[in-house]
Amino acid sequence: QVQLVESGGGSAPTADSLRLSCAASGGTFSSYIMSWFRQAPGKTREFVAAISGGGSTRYYADFMKGRFTISRDTAKNTVYLQMNNLEPEDTAVYYCAARVGRYSRNWDDQNYWGQGTQVTVSS
């Protein structure tokens, strides 16, 4: 059983930066495609970014406009989401997820999920 624990959320002003972390335990980290999703108040959950098991391939949602970067550290079993130039529209709960097999942007296709970390961006 894989456990995912997110951290690094908090409050930040517009144009500031935050780095989210997701620590994985209980599985072979390099075998999972790791993803970030988010859910804003009153909105459906949406895909943010994903990274392949080896870290060589990254996928991003179009809305990020190059502001976010996903990375992973296999030695630490951790995946990161560096968020720059934050906007109030980035306010959401951010979730980490892991999937075995082919890449998917669908929440329901993931095999494991974290509990989420709140990000609040003030204008």
Side-chain angles (χ1 to χ4, degrees):
Q1 185 74 11
V2 174
Q3 292 187 325
L4 303 174
V5 179
E6 301 97 335
S7 62
S11 298
T14 298
D16 209 359
S17 298
L18 283 174
R19 188 177 80 157
L20 306 183
S21 300
C22 172
S25 61
T28 304
F29 184 65
S30 60
S31 67
Y32 296 103
I33 296 174
M34 301 299 297
S35 298
W36 287 97
F37 293 81
R38 72 182 188 182
Q39 186 166 19
K43 295 187 177 181
T44 58
R45 189 178 291 113
E46 63 181 350
F47 169 80
V48 176
I51 187 168
S52 61
S56 60
T57 305
R58 305 177 186 187
Y59 310 87
Y60 292 101
D62 292 340
F63 68 80
M64 290 189 299
K65 306 172 188 176
R67 298 182 296 119
F68 294 2
T69 302
I70 190 171
S71 62
R72 66 192 297 160
D73 185 333
T74 302
K76 296 182 179 180
N77 284 2
T78 299
V79 62
Y80 304 97
L81 185 68
Q82 177 67 44
M83 305 186 295
N84 297 327
N85 196 20
L86 286 164
E87 303 172 349
E89 292 73 23
D90 296 319
T91 295
V93 177
Y94 284 73
Y95 298 90
C96 174
R99 172 171 168 79
V100 176
R102 305 178 82 174
Y103 156 70
S104 173
R105 296 190 174 204
N106 294 325
W107 174 261
D108 292 336
D109 287 341
Q110 310 305 310
N111 300 110
Y112 303 99
W113 303 265
Q115 294 299 308
T117 185
Q118 176 72 46
V119 171
T120 303
V121 183
S122 58
S123 57

